[in-house]
Amino acid sequence: MLGLLNKIVLSKQTQLRFAEPINSQAVLRNLLQQSQSGYHFSFPTTDNAILMGVSPELLLRKQAEKLTTNPLAGSIPRDTCPKEEAHRRSVLFASKKDRYEHAVVIEDIQQVLTPLCSALHIPAQPELLSTATMWHLSTVISGVLKESATHSLAIANQLHPTPALCGKPTADAYPKIAELEQQSRGLFSGIIGWFDKHGNGEWVVVIRCAELRDKTAKLFAGAGIVAASDPRSEWLETEAKLNTMLNALETKQAYYAMRNTFHEAN
């Protein structure tokens, strides 16, 4: 498969059922407390559900002629031990696999934005960005639009989905994702944001999130797969990414206890 694809992003969805209706306000409050940075969202959908999360990834911010995008690709779970935490940061930054995965995303974004911009600044190497549960390779790209009136949503739709959400080439990765996942992502891995009457706006990708409906919560997490990926590491990465919403739902311990019991029984 990867002989045809530079990268593919595969995801999983985990559904939790509670004894009582979920208090969405409490969940949002927990998200705000545990994740001081990031882009928080709580959006009622058309099917009596709430899409809620805190995305670390800015797809696009546009103000007049200035634009910014902050793609993330290449990740490692955080650790409570300071020594191990420092080790993991070093491992991620030095990882050839993760640096390649990140470079695929940057190259794609550069191809999209170059025709739209009179100036485009892309740092020579990524930085490290932390969330409550993960470290990510991060590159902040800034540019100056040739046409300041270009609508933010029009640019966002050209950028999305980046290889950080789908794969590369996109046209080949998209049907392969549908074949392998065999379920609709729905609103997961889409974009959410706002724009004003001048076309300025801010758009983020719908990750680190859940769909809350009555007594159920459907959680979503994905990982970028390249030729050098290790299956176990990628699976553990998706588990770590679920922790954002598991913590907000106050069900992390119960989830892992249930999962471990299932694995032991099988």
Side-chain angles (χ1 to χ4, degrees):
M1 178 180 67
L2 288 176
L4 302 175
L5 299 173
N6 299 96
K7 177 182 177 179
I8 187 171
V9 180
L10 297 177
S11 69
K12 65 182 180 185
Q13 297 177 32
T14 300
Q15 185 160 296
L16 307 178
R17 186 164 182 83
F18 296 81
E20 301 294 334
I22 298 169
N23 185 338
S24 59
Q25 291 185 343
V27 176
L28 180 58
R29 183 166 58 248
N30 290 340
L31 275 177
L32 291 166
Q33 290 175 349
Q34 78 170 359
S35 302
Q36 301 295 318
S37 60
Y39 303 87
H40 300 79
F41 55 89
S42 178
F43 185 78
T45 67
T46 57
D47 52 357
N48 299 316
I50 297 176
L51 182 68
M52 184 179 294
V54 51
S55 176
E57 188 162 357
L58 174 68
L59 179 69
L60 178 72
R61 179 186 299 119
K62 176 192 176 292
Q63 180 65 41
E65 75 280 2
K66 297 181 180 179
L67 63 80
T68 304
T69 180
N70 185 193
L72 309 179
S75 309
I76 196 168
R78 298 194 64 173
D79 195 273
T80 55
C81 172
K83 184 176 180 180
E84 177 62 20
E85 179 88 328
H87 172 68
R88 293 189 179 194
R89 292 202 312 267
S90 297
V91 167
L92 176 60
F93 195 77
S95 168
K96 291 183 179 180
K97 172 261 179 186
D98 289 288
R99 293 292 285 265
Y100 171 76
E101 182 182 341
H102 192 81
V104 169
V105 178
I106 301 305
E107 179 184 18
D108 188 78
I109 290 176
Q110 182 178 20
Q111 290 176 351
V112 173
L113 292 182
T114 295
L116 303 177
C117 294
S118 59
L120 189 65
H121 173 67
I122 302 177
Q125 64 178 6
E127 299 178 337
L128 291 173
L129 180 145
S130 66
T131 70
T133 59
M134 303 292 297
W135 283 100
H136 299 283
L137 292 179
S138 163
T139 297
V140 178
I141 299 172
S142 59
V144 178
L145 289 168
K146 294 177 181 177
E147 300 290 340
S148 62
T150 305
H151 202 289
S152 63
L153 184 55
I155 304 171
N157 282 334
Q158 289 191 56
L159 288 169
H160 181 75
T162 73
L165 273 296
C166 181
K168 181 72 174 183
T170 304
D172 296 322
Y174 190 82
K176 183 60 69 172
I177 288 171
E179 174 188 334
L180 294 173
E181 294 186 1
Q182 296 188 356
Q183 60 181 338
S184 171
R185 292 185 178 182
L187 297 175
F188 297 139
S189 77
I191 61 175
I192 190 167
W194 63 269
F195 62 85
D196 65 17
K197 65 180 181 179
H198 303 293
N200 300 312
E202 190 172 70
W203 301 91
V204 302
V205 296
V206 180
I207 54 176
R208 305 307 135 75
C209 59
E211 185 181 60
L212 310 180
R213 180 185 289 105
D214 193 27
K215 297 180 182 180
T216 64
K218 184 186 291 184
L219 283 61
F220 171 87
I225 312 298
V226 295
S229 289
D230 171 67
R232 183 176 184 275
S233 296
E234 300 293 356
W235 177 264
L236 292 176
E237 180 179 319
T238 63
E239 291 285 274
K241 289 174 177 176
L242 290 179
N243 287 337
T244 296
M245 291 307 303
L246 290 173
N247 287 332
L249 289 159
E250 299 180 342
T251 190
K252 179 180 175 180
Q253 290 183 338
Y255 169 79
Y256 285 109
M258 176 183 65
R259 188 198 63 173
N260 292 338
T261 299
F262 176 81
H263 286 173
E264 290 172 0
N266 291 273

